[in-house]
Amino acid sequence: MQCVWVMVLLLPAALSEKFKVVVPDAPVVGVSGSVVVLPCSVRGLDGQTSMNAEDMNITWSRSDLTDSVVHQYVNHNDLNTDQIPQYRGRTSVFKEELQRGNTSLSLSNIRLTDEGQYSCTVESRYWNDKLSVNLRVEVIGSQPVITVDSYDSETVSLLCKSEGWYPEPALQWMNSRRVNLTAEETETQRVADLYSVKRRVTVKRSDIDTFFCIVTQRDHKKEGHITAAAIYDHLPNPGRTAGIVVGVILLLVLLTVGAVYLYKERRKREEEIRKVRSYLISDGDGRLLHHNLSPRQWDYVEFTLLNSEQELKEFRLKRYVPSDRGVQKLQKVIASSTKALLNDCALTEESCSVLASVLRSVNSLKDLNLNKNKLQDSGVKKLSEGLKSEHCKLETLRLERCSLTEESCSVLASVLRSVNSLKDLNLSKNNLQDSGVKKISEGLKSKHCRLETLSLERCSLTEESCSVLASVLRSVNSLKDLNLSENELQDSGVKELSEGLKSEHCKLEILRLESCSLTEESCSVLVSVLRSVKSLKDLNLTENNLQDSGVKELSEGLKSEHCKLETLSLESCSLTEESCSDLVSVLRSVNSLKDLNLSKNNLLDSGVKKISEGLKSEHCKLETLSLKGCNLTEESCSVLVSVLRSVNSLKDLNLSKNNLLNSGVKKLSEGLKSEHCKLETLRLSNCRITYTGCAALTSALTENPSSALTQLDLNHNQITESGRENISQLKQKFPYLTVNSDLQF
Ligand SMILES: *[C@@H]1O[C@H](CO)[C@@H](O)[C@H](O)[C@H]1NC(C)=O
């Protein structure tokens, strides 16, 4: 009889193996007085499938206090007879969430004594499981208070105090430029579990300024400040006693005559400052544009920006006043910043005169961005007066899309011919034409020219510009990066250019020839360049009709022992599977390629199959491979898995815009589990993936906690709400992983 009972009890026990309790590993942190949710849920053994917990009994207890009951939910009811008194009326479970297996506990008005370990026990008739989660409570202390503690004839000591923190906060003194001050040791006191901190700083009288005292604790921060005026108020005025009688009489007179006036003035000033302060912190661009600011308000804006370390590092005019008036009013801020972004601000020649005077006086500018303003040649002419000044230390000048012509080129050439510090000049998207390049080349050949980067994208250039630039490359020059994309150079242009590229004086590392109407012929010319030029590291041939025959030629150059090319872009070059065979032979021989872009070519699975043979070679050092929009299917994934599983160097793989489907992603996920997989970025946008594919990725990454993945692009797929849980799980498990998807988090 007994034996039968045991069997009846054991049978359902075997079924119960299908459940488990899941809680987060990291402690839950809450601020004293607020509500926290201690997460706990019942899931299937895979850790994902939700189980219905409506008919289960739930016990939350303090496992660090000999399992004292915090909250109990038994037979569909809250049963709090054994509850510890300190939790009375503050606990609940989410009843509507139980059917989704969510057995979390809500705890309101939390206090320091709530800190500790909580266990979540869930039981059904045949099964039970229990796990613990830690709660940490933080208490935010008082606003720091600053007082003048003592002084002598040379120094003043200030004391900052803040009370009532838990855990212990840090206290830091700073001056108005937000530079840390050296101060005495922080004194910490513990009163009834809470920490009070105070710290003294001593400054010279000559250094008196507005000082800040900042108290920080994890994500919380409180800040106090004392103005120079408030400090002076505490110091005795030596002349005070001598002139006291006269002073009092004068003061009385002044008070009676001017009291009303002063009061009104002060109110007006306070109101003005309050308003401009609210404009400054409002959202979006042009926040000061439509307000007619008074001189006092402009002073306040200038003062605020000049005191912001961040603005001085990179000042963006568009955020405040995108206009000539903005440049006029904020020229001191521009002069004090290292990088000034004045792009797309509707600026005209007028601003150029102001900027010239900024560059002529002492300034910190190294990088000036004037893109997308209609400056015209007359503007550049004015600017050039500043560029030639001995005070100008500008290294980067961006003049993209500024309605410039050949005339600007003559002006800039004269700048390059005089002593100057320019290293990076962007003239793209201006109608310079060949005649313009001819003029600027006179500057490029000057011994004073240190230009390393020159962008001439979409400047209406032809073959003629190429022969001019070749003559520059043949003379002593410092060019490292040349962008000639989107000009009708044609094969004849590349032929001319190659004469310069092969010169011993040429130090070019990056050459961009995107969309230049090139064909196979250019490739045969470039082969001879790759065979002789050792400096070239990055070649961009995107959007040229090179075809397989072109790549065949090119690959001969890539195999040369002199070729040090690391980055090659052949995006949208009308290539097929055949090109892949040639590229494989490159990857299999000694080569330096690290980044290969083959996107938007009709490679098909058969092409990827070939390429993958190269990827497995011991000579292949490829880190980045783009195969976006190459008409690939699930089959390519099977091939790529075998690459990820063997020793390989891939860090960034782009498979977006291919018809991979869930089945493909599932296969790929198998590769992510491998110890050889070093992938940091995986792009799968627009691959028709749904919730299922997403789940496969999640479980693969969960199985490989040492995965290096930090970027996962899942945009434009069919991951609806059902995939949300998967993605948020991933985000929880891998805090450094950024997942892009169409869902909002
Ligand atoms: C449970 O439900 C509550 C209330 O909707 C929610 O705040 C909490 O995040 C859920 N917890 C889990 C583990 O799903």
Side-chain angles (χ1 to χ4, degrees):
M1 182 65 190
Q2 245 178 10
C3 186
V4 174
W5 269 115
V6 170
M7 276 180 64
V8 169
L9 283 172
L10 278 182
L11 206 62
L15 297 173
S16 69
E17 290 295 306
K18 283 194 245 154
F19 300 85
K20 71 173 181 186
V21 163
V22 177
V23 300
D25 294 335
V28 176
V29 181
V31 174
S32 149
S34 68
V35 182
V36 288
V37 174
L38 296 173
C40 177
S41 43
V42 186
R43 302 276 170 84
L45 272 194
D46 57 359
Q48 287 165 26
T49 326
S50 316
M51 293 295 160
N52 190 337
E54 275 176 319
D55 297 326
M56 300 185 181
N57 293 340
I58 303 161
T59 306
W60 276 93
S61 52
R62 277 288 288 268
S63 28
D64 53 347
L65 299 181
T66 57
D67 274 334
S68 319
V69 173
V70 172
H71 190 95
Q72 265 187 317
Y73 181 79
V74 175
N75 295 331
H76 306 107
N77 279 308
D78 292 316
L79 175 79
N80 280 325
T81 42
D82 295 333
Q83 188 182 39
I84 330 180
Q86 85 177 65
Y87 290 102
R88 192 127 303 157
R90 297 196 290 131
T91 58
S92 60
V93 292
F94 300 99
K95 308 225 164 77
E96 326 76 69
E97 290 281 325
L98 291 175
Q99 53 174 322
R100 280 188 276 278
N102 182 345
T103 54
S104 305
L105 179 76
S106 163
L107 179 57
S108 62
N109 192 13
I110 60 167
R111 36 189 98 141
L112 207 48
T113 48
D114 293 342
E115 185 165 280
Q117 193 180 47
Y118 290 73
S119 68
C120 168
T121 311
V122 183
E123 331 173 54
S124 71
R125 205 132 53 100
Y126 314 115
W127 164 89
N128 68 65
D129 194 9
K130 166 176 174 175
L131 274 182
S132 294
V133 55
N134 279 311
L135 171 64
R136 282 218 301 255
V137 178
E138 291 177 346
V139 188
I140 303 182
S142 66
Q143 182 72 25
V145 174
I146 304 176
T147 49
V148 176
D149 193 41
S150 63
Y151 51 80
D152 58 29
S153 56
E154 248 127 61
T155 64
V156 181
S157 286
L158 305 173
L159 180 69
C160 175
K161 269 197 218 170
S162 176
E163 295 167 347
W165 293 83
Y166 182 85
E168 188 180 345
L171 191 161
Q172 188 61 52
W173 277 100
M174 285 184 180
N175 67 12
S176 64
R177 291 218 141 218
R178 295 276 165 180
V179 174
N180 280 352
L181 299 178
T182 349
E184 287 174 24
E185 291 287 306
T186 307
E187 292 172 45
T188 310
Q189 242 187 330
R190 196 158 180 186
V191 184
D193 290 330
L194 298 179
Y195 291 94
S196 296
V197 284
K198 60 180 176 187
R199 194 172 189 187
R200 205 170 271 108
V201 70
T202 304
V203 290
K204 289 208 200 101
R205 281 203 180 200
S206 54
D207 293 342
I208 287 179
D209 186 5
T210 296
F211 293 107
F212 294 88
C213 166
I214 294 124
V215 183
T216 44
Q217 175 212 65
R218 291 202 198 114
D219 300 335
H220 312 294
K221 176 168 163 182
K222 288 228 164 174
E223 182 177 303
H225 74 275
I226 186 163
T227 60
I231 299 175
Y232 282 124
D233 277 352
H234 282 82
L235 305 181
N237 180 344
R240 192 189 273 172
T241 33
I244 197 147
V245 179
V246 185
V248 166
I249 294 168
L250 244 169
L251 202 66
L252 280 174
V253 173
L254 265 177
L255 276 176
T256 34
V257 175
V260 178
Y261 172 77
L262 281 176
Y263 175 75
K264 278 191 176 165
E265 263 303 290
R266 189 173 156 184
R267 284 299 294 271
K268 192 174 142 201
R269 190 176 71 204
E270 279 172 0
E271 182 58 16
E272 279 185 7
I273 299 300
R274 192 192 60 73
K275 271 194 187 152
V276 73
R277 216 184 253 169
S278 73
Y279 303 154
L280 272 178
I281 58 170
S282 61
D283 287 328
D285 287 338
R287 47 191 83 163
L288 302 177
L289 192 58
H290 302 295
H291 302 294
N292 212 349
L293 302 190
S294 69
R296 185 147 51 206
Q297 286 175 315
W298 277 115
D299 279 351
Y300 180 82
V301 171
E302 185 184 88
F303 174 82
T304 309
L305 297 179
L306 280 174
N307 275 301
S308 154
E309 219 174 298
Q310 205 181 340
E311 295 290 348
L312 295 187
K313 223 192 222 168
E314 184 181 294
F315 173 65
R316 190 184 291 272
L317 183 67
K318 199 172 178 181
R319 194 179 287 156
Y320 305 102
V321 225
S323 66
D324 283 330
R325 189 171 149 78
V327 172
Q328 171 72 37
K329 291 287 184 190
L330 297 175
Q331 48 181 299
K332 270 196 199 154
V333 181
I334 294 171
S336 307
S337 64
T338 317
K339 186 171 181 178
L341 303 175
L342 312 182
N343 52 312
D344 201 7
C345 285
L347 306 185
T348 70
E349 173 188 345
E350 213 180 293
S351 284
C352 292
S353 316
V354 177
L355 290 170
S357 80
V358 165
L359 293 174
R360 272 199 306 264
S361 49
V362 178
N363 71 85
S364 318
L365 275 178
K366 291 239 166 94
D367 187 337
L368 180 58
N369 185 338
L370 289 165
N371 291 350
K372 271 179 117 179
N373 289 299
K374 211 168 175 201
L375 306 181
Q376 301 189 315
D377 295 328
S378 49
V380 171
K381 190 159 191 161
K382 292 206 164 134
L383 196 64
S384 73
E385 282 157 36
L387 293 171
K388 287 184 197 168
S389 151
E390 55 166 338
H391 290 304
C392 174
K393 298 280 174 292
L394 213 60
E395 292 179 2
T396 302
L397 177 60
R398 293 172 218 264
L399 294 168
E400 187 172 317
R401 226 196 268 189
C402 289
S403 308
L404 312 183
T405 76
E406 156 191 3
E407 248 181 83
S408 286
C409 293
S410 325
V411 173
L412 289 168
S414 79
V415 171
L416 294 176
R417 273 199 304 264
S418 58
V419 179
N420 74 90
S421 48
L422 280 179
K423 285 194 180 154
D424 182 342
L425 181 59
N426 184 345
L427 295 172
S428 294
K429 300 176 189 166
N430 289 297
N431 191 25
L432 306 182
Q433 305 199 332
D434 294 328
S435 48
V437 171
K438 194 159 190 164
K439 291 203 166 135
I440 207 140
S441 73
E442 294 308 314
L444 293 172
K445 287 184 198 168
S446 151
K447 62 169 172 164
H448 292 305
C449 175
R450 302 269 178 284
L451 215 59
E452 294 179 1
T453 302
L454 178 62
S455 297
L456 297 170
E457 185 175 325
R458 210 194 295 167
C459 288
S460 313
L461 312 183
T462 75
E463 163 192 357
E464 243 181 88
S465 286
C466 292
S467 56
V468 172
L469 288 168
S471 79
V472 171
L473 294 176
R474 272 199 304 265
S475 58
V476 179
N477 75 90
S478 47
L479 279 180
K480 286 192 178 158
D481 181 344
L482 181 59
N483 185 350
L484 295 173
S485 294
E486 295 190 51
N487 289 298
E488 279 283 315
L489 305 183
Q490 304 195 321
D491 295 327
S492 49
V494 171
K495 192 160 188 160
E496 294 277 2
L497 199 63
S498 72
E499 293 309 315
L501 291 170
K502 287 188 220 164
S503 151
E504 54 165 337
H505 293 306
C506 174
K507 310 267 180 307
L508 216 59
E509 293 176 6
I510 303 174
L511 178 59
R512 293 173 221 261
L513 296 170
E514 257 184 67
S515 205
C516 289
S517 304
L518 312 183
T519 75
E520 166 193 357
E521 244 182 85
S522 286
C523 292
S524 43
V525 173
L526 287 169
V527 168
S528 69
V529 172
L530 291 176
R531 278 185 173 148
S532 53
V533 183
K534 294 184 191 115
S535 58
L536 204 60
K537 289 200 176 134
D538 184 340
L539 179 60
N540 190 335
L541 295 171
T542 295
E543 264 191 57
N544 287 295
N545 191 26
L546 305 183
Q547 305 199 330
D548 294 329
S549 49
V551 171
K552 193 171 197 111
E553 296 268 8
L554 212 55
S555 65
E556 289 312 312
L558 292 169
K559 286 189 221 164
S560 149
E561 57 169 332
H562 291 310
C563 174
K564 295 284 173 287
L565 210 62
E566 293 179 2
T567 302
L568 176 62
S569 179
L570 296 170
E571 181 172 329
S572 208
C573 287
S574 316
L575 312 183
T576 76
E577 165 191 357
E578 234 186 280
S579 286
C580 294
S581 314
D582 291 310
L583 289 169
V584 166
S585 72
V586 173
L587 294 177
R588 275 180 168 161
S589 57
V590 179
N591 75 89
S592 47
L593 276 182
K594 285 195 179 155
D595 182 340
L596 181 59
N597 183 351
L598 295 173
S599 295
K600 298 194 194 156
N601 288 299
N602 193 26
L603 304 184
L604 306 176
D605 294 326
S606 47
V608 172
K609 195 159 188 163
K610 285 187 177 157
I611 283 279
S612 72
E613 290 311 312
L615 293 173
K616 289 185 203 165
S617 152
E618 56 166 336
H619 293 307
C620 174
K621 304 277 176 294
L622 217 57
E623 294 179 1
T624 302
L625 177 62
S626 299
L627 296 170
K628 178 172 167 184
C630 289
N631 280 328
L632 312 182
T633 76
E634 164 189 359
E635 241 181 87
S636 285
C637 294
S638 322
V639 174
L640 287 168
V641 165
S642 73
V643 173
L644 294 178
R645 277 179 169 164
S646 57
V647 179
N648 74 89
S649 46
L650 277 183
K651 287 190 181 160
D652 184 336
L653 180 60
N654 189 344
L655 294 172
S656 294
K657 242 184 162 193
N658 286 300
N659 199 20
L660 305 184
L661 306 177
N662 287 333
S663 47
V665 173
K666 265 189 194 161
K667 287 192 173 150
L668 209 58
S669 302
E670 291 303 314
L672 292 178
K673 292 184 196 168
S674 156
E675 54 166 338
H676 293 307
C677 174
K678 306 275 179 299
L679 271 192
E680 292 170 9
T681 302
L682 178 59
R683 292 179 207 280
L684 296 171
S685 89
N686 221 327
C687 290
R688 302 185 53 203
I689 305 171
T690 75
Y691 157 74
T692 326
C694 206
L697 286 168
T698 307
S699 76
L701 287 172
T702 311
E703 266 183 57
N704 182 3
S706 60
S707 161
L709 208 67
T710 53
Q711 184 83 38
L712 178 61
D713 186 356
L714 294 172
N715 275 318
H716 310 299
N717 283 298
Q718 289 126 26
I719 304 168
T720 47
E721 283 302 311
S722 41
R724 177 183 290 277
E725 178 140 341
N726 275 296
I727 294 180
S728 48
Q729 251 179 31
L730 265 184
K731 287 189 169 183
Q732 253 176 30
K733 282 225 171 71
F734 299 90
Y736 300 113
L737 179 68
T738 312
V739 185
N740 302 322
S741 73
D742 305 320
L743 296 173
Q744 294 291 316
F745 283 87

